[in-house]
Amino acid sequence: MAKKSKDSLEQSSDIRVAATSKIWGLTVGILAICIPLSAVTRSGAILPLAAIGGAAAGTVAIWRSDHKKSKNGYLQQQQIELLEARIATLETIVSHNDFDLHMKIQNLEANNSTKNVLPQNQSEN
């Protein structure tokens, strides 16, 4: 049952529904703990009412928030395409520099190996 509700939360396209479901799911757990504690501590209905009040206030805050504000966090298609083009350019630059560096290393290794061979040949004479 818990897995089924978790899957339905993931499929929800509105983040507010998922947040509200999590808030009230946690509130039910808090109530399950608060009700026996209220009897033991003789605090009456203060703890359960505080839990319900907090969940209600959270739900109101989520649903009153402007839905357009949350969409502004996402990048526009033009921005995504621009970023992809910049990344492709950077990859080209890095791969070109990597190739140049690899060629320089090979040249240095070739020069090193010829220098090491010459002293050995001279010592034989």
Side-chain angles (χ1 to χ4, degrees):
M1 178 91 173
K3 187 176 182 180
K4 187 176 183 180
S5 64
K6 200 175 212 182
D7 292 339
S8 66
L9 283 177
E10 291 173 1
Q11 292 173 354
S12 174
S13 62
D14 193 359
I15 191 74
R16 297 179 297 178
V17 174
T20 302
S21 299
K22 287 183 181 183
I23 287 172
W24 284 100
L26 289 171
T27 303
V28 169
I30 292 170
L31 287 174
I33 295 170
C34 285
I35 292 173
L37 281 177
S38 296
V40 172
T41 60
R42 295 186 182 131
S43 63
I46 293 173
L47 291 176
L49 286 177
I52 292 172
T59 302
V60 168
I62 288 171
W63 284 94
R64 292 209 44 171
S65 67
D66 190 11
H67 190 60
K68 291 178 184 176
K69 285 182 186 175
S70 63
K71 283 189 176 182
N72 287 340
Y74 297 112
L75 296 176
Q76 294 177 355
Q77 187 63 28
Q78 283 180 324
Q79 291 173 325
I80 292 172
E81 290 172 359
L82 177 65
L83 288 173
E84 286 175 349
R86 290 178 70 185
I87 289 171
T89 304
L90 286 172
E91 288 173 344
T92 303
I93 291 169
V94 168
S95 63
H96 179 71
N97 287 342
D98 187 38
F99 179 73
D100 288 344
L101 182 63
H102 185 66
M103 292 302 292
K104 286 179 183 178
I105 290 172
Q106 283 183 344
N107 287 339
L108 286 173
E109 287 176 349
N111 289 341
N112 243 0
S113 64
T114 58
K115 286 181 183 178
N116 288 339
V117 170
L118 286 177
Q120 289 175 357
N121 289 341
Q122 290 174 354
S123 64
E124 291 176 3
N125 290 335

